């Protein structure tokens, strides 16, 4: 039984005899079940689950996880089912195997969808039992190690998935060793050429660096020793290839800029010593200002703890130093797996708590997001945590990803606070909601009852929580607004026939609802407001009029045309201003129903509506409210003299008339004149007329007209 021997040796170091025997029984079962199956590498299949079990045994995972690893492919690939696993090895093992199997089975139409759904399933499985993910990660790790046997396209696909999903998850769970191996194997398989070139360059550079590394290490050792501090390890640390590649790509650094940094790690016995070593290294080499980070006092989201500092080394080379305790070091390398490796370790339980918190957050998020793509988009941000730490007015620390804004902060406090925030005070000064937060700031949210999320926030929020909450709110907001609009539209059409909703016979209503597949009148309103139903048609059918009677005939039978819909311009999400003609208050307007999007307001003579202008099924008469407040965009075309400074003087004239230019496009016309198209914001037609008068008076302006 060659396959099992090495695993047995590993298990005997930490499991008792009966447990090892139980694992052996699982092995016998799996070996029998997979008999005759071979992997692409040519090895008998059983070599794979045993290799996976060995990876987990390295982390001293418990017996159940080891058995699950050995059996992880039997449900999928052999005739053994979940219940027989349960009856032989217990419910927990069966659940673990089943969890891993389910992650393997998902198949989808689109790759993006598959990936998203896969990820969602993974999160749910993790939340039930974190060991599922450890087995799955080990499974993937062994597959990555034996990736060479697959054809290139499959290899690339798996490598990409590993880089996009598995490596970030390992990182999020603090499992640095897994992450590094995922990333380097994934990088090698996904970008084979880049990998080869870069690894050769790194090899060469490392040779050149050896001398200077020795000098620094010597200096650090002497410094620590002379202060009587016992450092367990002072070692130069090399970045792994993928992180060098990422730094070059994301931060646009040259190879030598990335390689020019010398990394060292000092591992000591206690937290107190960490800070003493910090003071000491600052005496040996001058620290680079503002590069010190205290992840001991404020651990990273995945539980990572260390002191980080950057020093000016000999010859001016930058030295990055990490200082940590042995416990923190174990945590940094193995994350949640450290829990099994070092049962008594305090740091490990910290990682477990952090992982739990994270999973709970993910679960909450998955409940408020509509589909898995949305979910993964939200989670992705969480998976690449570069955090900022800010304080609440009470002094509590909040942890947010880099780039987080006051709105993200508000949602982190509570979704109600986020939904009603109107401004923020950062270090006691009022600041716009879009302000990006920096470490150490104290943030207070100003909220107003009745305030609501603005769709524009989606342009700057960075946390998954804020994003999903805003979307969720807008979705329900959209529903309310489309229901209200739909009701208004139908009621106005009814009033055209001098009827109200109370005049509708019950059986007519029931018939309309059944035919259109709605459960109640609210749904009918909502669909109408979204532009999916034609209000005129609905009104006629509600009144029981024969559908074959032409609308125009009925129109003649009525005295007055339908009352126009009153538009404020700020209805929200279901009434929009058409961008083709950009009507402004004062313009005669007409509403056009756009299926799925609601009502679009056009200028009465917009060429786009010319054909359907008199079709009451598609067009809704509309007029502006008497006293519209707000700003509306309008396009002007100017012909101006080619002359230096002309645009500046036009901009000044427009500002003088209390308007702002949103966009400006210049095109040459001939030697004397240029064409200038300007988009600007106005209150209404009167305001526009004033601006145009003001601009037309300028000598450099030859012509001005609204487009
Ligand atoms: Mn497998």
């Amino acid at each position: 039984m060659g396959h099992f021997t090495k695993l047995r040796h590993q298990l005997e170091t930490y499991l008792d005899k009966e447990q090892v025997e139980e694992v052996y029984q699982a092995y016998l079962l799996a070996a029998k079940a997979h008999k005759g199956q071979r992997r692409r590498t040519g090895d008998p299949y059983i070599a794979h689950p045993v290799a996976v079990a060995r990876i987990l045994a390295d982390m001293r995972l418990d017996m159940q996880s080891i058995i699950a690893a050995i059996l992880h492919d039997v449900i999928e690939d052999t005739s053994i089912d979940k219940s027989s696993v349960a009856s032989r090895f217990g419910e927990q093992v069966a659940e673990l195997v089943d969890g891993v199997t389910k992650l393997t089975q998902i198949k989808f139409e689109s790759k993006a969808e598959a990936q998203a759904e896969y990820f969602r399933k993974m999160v749910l499985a993790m939340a039930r039992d974190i060991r599922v993910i450890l087995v799955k990660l080990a499974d993937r790790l062994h597959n990555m190690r034996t990736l060479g046997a697959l054809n290139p396209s499959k290899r690339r696909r798996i490598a990409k998935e590993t880089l996009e999903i598995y490596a970030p998850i390992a990182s999020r769970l603090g499992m640095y060793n897994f992450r590094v191996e995922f990333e380097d194997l994934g990088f090698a398989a996904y970008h084979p050429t880049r990998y080869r070139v870069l690894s050769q360059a790194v090899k060469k550079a490392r040779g050149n660096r050896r001398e200077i590394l020795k000098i620094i290490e010597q200096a650090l050792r002497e410094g620590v020793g002379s202060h009587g501090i016992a450092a367990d390890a002072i070692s130069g640390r090399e970045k792994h290839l993928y992180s060098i590649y990422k730094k070059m790509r994301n931060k646009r650094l040259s190879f030598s800029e990335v390689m020019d940094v010398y990394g060292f790690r000092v591992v000591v016995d206690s937290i107190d010593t960490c800070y003493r070593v910090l003071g000491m290294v600052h005496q040996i080499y001058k620290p680079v200002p503002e590069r010190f980070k205290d992840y001991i006092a404020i651990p990273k989201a995945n539980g990572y703890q260390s002191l980080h500092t950057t020093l000016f080394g000999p010859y001016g080379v930058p030295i990055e130093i990490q200082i940590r305790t042995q416990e923190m070091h174990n945590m940094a390398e193995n994350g949640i797996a450290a829990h099994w490796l070092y049962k008594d370790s305090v740091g490990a339980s910290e990682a477990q708590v952090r992982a739990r918190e994270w999973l709970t957050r993910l679960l909450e998020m998955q409940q408020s997001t509509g589909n898995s793509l949305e979910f993964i988009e939200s989670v992705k941000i969480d998976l690449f945590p570069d955090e900022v730490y800010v304080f609440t007015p009470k002094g509590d620390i909040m942890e947010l990803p880099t780039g987080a804004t006051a709105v993200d902060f508000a949602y982190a406090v509570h979704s109600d606070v986020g939904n009603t925030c109107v401004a923020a005070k950062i270090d006691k000064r009022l600041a716009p909601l879009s302000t990006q937060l920096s470490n150490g700031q104290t943030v207070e949210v100003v909220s107003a009852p009745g305030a609501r999320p603005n769709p524009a926030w989606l342009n700057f929020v960075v946390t998954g929580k804020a994003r999903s909450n805003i979307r969720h709110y807008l979705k329900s907001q959209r529903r309310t607004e489309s229901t209200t609009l739909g009701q208004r539209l139908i009621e106005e059409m009814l009033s055209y026939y001098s009827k109200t909703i109370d005049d509708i016979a019950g059986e007519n209503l029931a018939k309309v609802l059944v035919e259109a597949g709605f459960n109640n009148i609210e749904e009918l309103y909502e669909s109408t407001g979204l532009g999916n139903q034609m209000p005129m048609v609905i009104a006629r059918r509600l009144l029981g009029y024969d559908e074959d009677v032409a609308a125009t005939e009925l129109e003649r039978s009525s005295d007055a045309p339908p009352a126009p819909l009153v538009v404020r311009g700020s209805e929200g999400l279901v009434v929009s201003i058409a961008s083709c003609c950009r009507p402004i208050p004062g313009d005669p307007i007409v509403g056009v129903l756009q299926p799925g999007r609601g009502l679009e307001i056009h200028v009465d003579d917009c060429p786009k509506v010319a054909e359907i202008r008199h079709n009451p099924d598609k067009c809704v008469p509309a007029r502006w409210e008497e006293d519209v407040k707000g700003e509306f965009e309008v396009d002007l075309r100017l012909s101006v003299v080619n002359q230096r400074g002309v645009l500046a003087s036009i901009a000044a004239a427009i500002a003088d008339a209390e308007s702002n230019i949103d966009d400006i496009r210049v095109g040459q016309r001939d030697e004397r004149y240029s064409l200038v198209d300007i988009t600007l914001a106005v209150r209404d037609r009167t305001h526009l007329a004033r601006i145009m008068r003001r601009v037309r008076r300028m000598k450099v302006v030859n012509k001005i007209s609204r487009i």
Side-chain angles (χ1 to χ4, degrees):
M1 289 293 130
H3 293 297
F4 192 71
T5 316
K6 282 186 183 149
L7 175 60
R8 181 190 289 279
H9 290 322
Q10 276 174 291
L11 295 177
E12 278 166 353
T13 63
Y14 71 100
L15 293 183
D16 56 40
K17 255 201 163 92
E18 293 85 69
Q19 288 186 315
V20 177
E21 183 54 30
E22 184 79 350
V23 176
Y24 182 59
Q25 291 307 316
Y27 165 74
L28 290 179
L29 178 73
K32 201 170 138 207
H34 288 298
K35 200 173 170 71
Q37 296 176 354
R38 286 196 176 269
R39 301 198 85 213
R40 290 279 167 86
T41 53
D43 291 334
Y45 197 89
I46 187 66
H48 165 63
V50 171
V52 175
R54 290 194 57 196
I55 292 172
L56 296 177
D58 269 341
M59 299 189 295
R60 297 166 169 262
L61 246 74
D62 61 355
M63 180 194 71
Q64 289 170 332
S65 313
I66 303 290
I67 294 180
I70 287 180
L71 300 179
H72 82 266
D73 280 330
V74 297
I75 295 185
E76 168 88 354
D77 293 339
T78 78
S79 57
I80 295 170
D81 63 2
K82 185 182 170 190
S83 63
S84 56
V85 172
S87 62
R88 178 59 192 82
F89 296 102
E91 201 54 53
Q92 283 202 38
V93 169
E95 284 297 331
L96 284 172
V97 174
D98 189 48
V100 178
T101 307
K102 283 202 178 114
L103 290 180
T104 318
Q105 278 171 344
I106 304 162
K107 301 234 163 29
F108 275 89
E109 302 284 303
S110 84
K111 264 192 196 144
E113 191 193 352
Q115 211 182 30
E117 181 59 16
Y118 181 72
F119 188 82
R120 203 177 65 85
K121 287 262 160 74
M122 188 126 79
V123 165
L124 294 177
M126 268 197 292
R128 270 199 301 275
D129 189 337
I130 201 102
R131 293 176 299 178
V132 171
I133 204 65
L134 295 176
V135 177
K136 190 65 206 171
L137 289 176
D139 177 33
R140 174 54 61 109
L141 189 58
H142 184 246
N143 285 336
M144 287 303 292
R145 285 175 182 171
T146 52
L147 201 58
L150 299 180
N151 70 45
S153 81
K154 199 158 183 207
R155 205 153 58 198
R156 248 177 94 80
R157 184 182 64 73
I158 292 178
K160 184 163 186 271
E161 193 180 63
T162 302
L163 290 173
E164 286 185 351
I165 294 187
Y166 287 87
I169 286 186
S171 164
R172 196 59 182 67
L173 297 174
M175 301 167 67
Y176 180 80
N177 290 340
F178 265 66
R179 181 191 129 199
V180 166
E181 203 174 342
F182 277 143
E183 288 188 340
D184 279 351
L185 291 171
F187 179 37
Y190 194 67
H191 291 303
T193 312
R194 292 180 208 184
Y195 180 88
R196 208 177 49 241
V197 170
L198 193 60
S199 66
Q200 275 158 5
V202 168
K203 218 183 220 169
K204 195 160 159 247
R206 281 191 183 147
N208 301 336
R209 283 158 52 100
R210 214 162 283 146
E211 199 52 36
I212 200 159
L213 271 170
K214 235 194 262 166
I215 297 173
I216 299 169
E217 191 180 328
Q218 187 64 19
L220 291 175
R221 253 180 222 295
E222 277 169 17
V224 174
S226 71
H227 284 72
I229 294 172
D232 298 331
I234 298 176
S235 53
R237 118 191 110 71
E238 299 286 1
K239 289 189 179 66
H240 64 291
L241 276 183
Y242 189 65
S243 88
I244 295 172
Y245 171 69
K246 258 199 319 204
K247 273 223 164 90
M248 289 171 65
R249 200 191 49 189
N250 299 348
K251 300 195 176 164
R252 304 200 172 280
L253 296 174
S254 70
F255 176 69
S256 62
E257 280 170 311
V258 178
M259 286 305 283
D260 243 7
V261 179
Y262 291 75
F264 277 86
R265 180 176 302 134
V266 183
V267 179
V268 296
D269 59 353
S270 72
I271 290 180
D272 190 53
T273 315
C274 289
Y275 290 97
R276 280 164 64 210
V277 168
L278 177 77
M280 180 218 87
V281 300
H282 282 181
Q283 278 173 37
I284 301 172
Y285 297 117
K286 217 196 242 312
V288 178
E290 293 181 28
R291 290 295 298 275
F292 165 63
K293 287 198 188 99
D294 187 347
Y295 293 122
I296 290 183
I298 304 172
K300 284 197 190 184
N302 59 14
Y304 174 89
Q305 288 186 295
S306 260
L307 298 178
H308 287 190
T309 186
T310 304
L311 311 168
F312 293 110
Y315 319 115
V317 299
I319 312 174
E320 286 176 358
I321 300 206
Q322 302 173 343
I323 306 164
R324 52 174 81 142
T325 65
Q326 184 62 49
E327 230 170 66
M328 292 171 189
H329 185 58
N330 297 343
M331 250 301 300
E333 305 267 284
N334 298 296
I336 59 157
H339 168 73
W340 286 275
L341 255 174
Y342 313 95
K343 271 262 159 73
D344 44 14
S345 156
V346 179
S349 64
E350 168 81 1
Q352 293 259 302
V353 171
R354 294 259 165 182
R356 278 271 143 240
E357 283 173 2
W358 179 54
L359 289 171
T360 314
R361 265 216 313 277
L362 289 186
L363 284 183
E364 280 170 9
M365 211 143 73
Q366 103 101 11
Q367 277 150 15
S368 65
T369 45
N371 62 46
S372 33
L373 279 172
E374 228 172 75
F375 174 65
I376 199 169
E377 194 190 309
S378 305
V379 171
K380 258 191 181 157
I381 301 151
D382 268 24
L383 278 175
F384 301 99
D386 263 355
E387 301 90 356
V388 291
Y389 299 91
V390 292
F391 297 91
T392 69
K394 281 184 189 158
D396 294 334
I397 293 180
M398 298 287 271
E399 166 200 310
L400 294 165
T402 304
T405 61
V407 171
D408 293 293
F409 175 87
Y411 277 103
V413 172
H414 196 279
S415 29
D416 290 343
V417 177
N419 282 335
T420 58
C421 67
V422 290
K425 281 185 185 166
I426 297 173
D427 290 336
K428 300 201 169 149
R429 282 222 193 109
L430 270 176
L433 286 169
S434 58
T435 312
Q436 293 197 353
L437 305 175
S438 337
N439 273 318
Q441 288 177 329
T442 299
V443 187
E444 186 184 347
V445 177
V446 183
S447 55
R452 41 163 132 152
N454 183 334
W457 292 354
L458 289 171
N459 296 328
F460 57 73
V461 297
V462 301
T463 53
K465 188 169 183 199
R467 190 168 293 278
S468 63
N469 268 297
I470 295 167
R471 281 205 183 131
H472 181 70
Y473 184 90
L474 292 177
K475 234 182 255 168
S476 63
Q477 183 64 23
R478 192 184 157 90
R479 181 171 310 139
T480 318
E481 284 174 7
S482 42
T483 307
T484 311
L485 176 66
Q487 181 168 6
R488 272 171 73 191
L489 289 171
I490 290 175
E491 280 172 356
E492 254 142 37
M493 288 304 160
L494 288 172
S495 75
Y496 172 48
Y497 298 111
S498 315
K499 295 280 187 340
T500 72
I501 197 78
D502 297 328
D503 299 327
I504 306 297
E507 69 258 31
N508 281 350
L509 176 60
K511 196 169 155 231
V512 171
L513 292 180
V514 168
E515 280 169 6
F518 295 124
N519 293 313
N520 51 47
I521 196 161
E522 304 296 318
E523 287 181 15
L524 173 68
Y525 287 154
E526 185 191 341
S527 178
T528 309
L530 280 174
N532 294 328
Q533 309 294 326
M534 297 168 185
M536 182 58 99
V537 174
I538 295 290
R540 286 206 303 267
R541 286 169 61 197
L542 283 172
L543 292 168
Y545 292 146
D546 193 337
E547 277 172 56
D548 295 335
V549 181
T552 44
E553 231 159 89
L554 284 166
E555 223 169 309
R556 254 179 264 125
S557 73
S558 173
D559 302 338
L565 188 80
V566 178
V567 175
R568 285 194 314 270
S570 56
E571 276 78 2
L573 305 162
V574 288
V575 177
S576 57
I577 304 293
S579 59
C580 52
C581 53
R582 299 196 202 263
I584 59 172
D587 291 336
I589 48 170
V590 60
V592 175
L593 287 161
Q594 296 287 1
R597 288 189 284 128
L599 199 64
E600 203 172 65
I601 305 300
H602 288 259
V603 174
D604 205 45
D605 58 2
C606 174
K608 270 202 174 176
V609 276
E611 282 163 37
I612 49 169
R613 177 77 193 82
H614 293 289
N615 182 346
D617 289 347
K618 290 183 182 153
C619 284
V620 177
R623 66 170 176 80
W624 292 102
E625 197 181 58
E626 291 301 332
D627 198 13
V628 185
K629 295 224 164 30
E631 295 212 308
F632 298 83
E633 287 195 329
V634 64
D635 289 317
L636 296 181
R637 174 160 294 170
L638 282 69
S639 164
V640 301
V641 177
N642 286 332
Q643 160 180 328
R644 192 187 292 264
V646 62
L647 289 181
S649 52
I650 291 169
I654 288 172
D656 214 36
E658 294 168 354
S659 173
N660 283 316
I661 295 180
D662 291 331
D663 191 17
I664 191 160
R665 298 163 300 277
V666 182
Q668 191 80 27
R669 190 172 162 211
D670 55 35
E671 300 214 325
R672 268 198 82 198
Y673 296 108
S674 291
L675 277 186
V676 181
D677 287 349
I678 294 177
T679 307
L680 45 82
V682 300
R683 290 189 290 275
D684 51 28
R685 260 175 99 99
T686 327
H687 187 200
L688 176 64
R690 189 151 53 89
I691 297 166
M692 288 177 71
R693 258 201 317 277
R694 174 81 181 71
V695 174
R696 195 176 282 126
R697 277 210 305 269
M698 300 174 69
K699 283 205 185 74
V700 288
V701 176
N702 175 37
K703 258 185 218 156
I704 177 167
S705 58
R706 186 172 165 196
I707 305 172

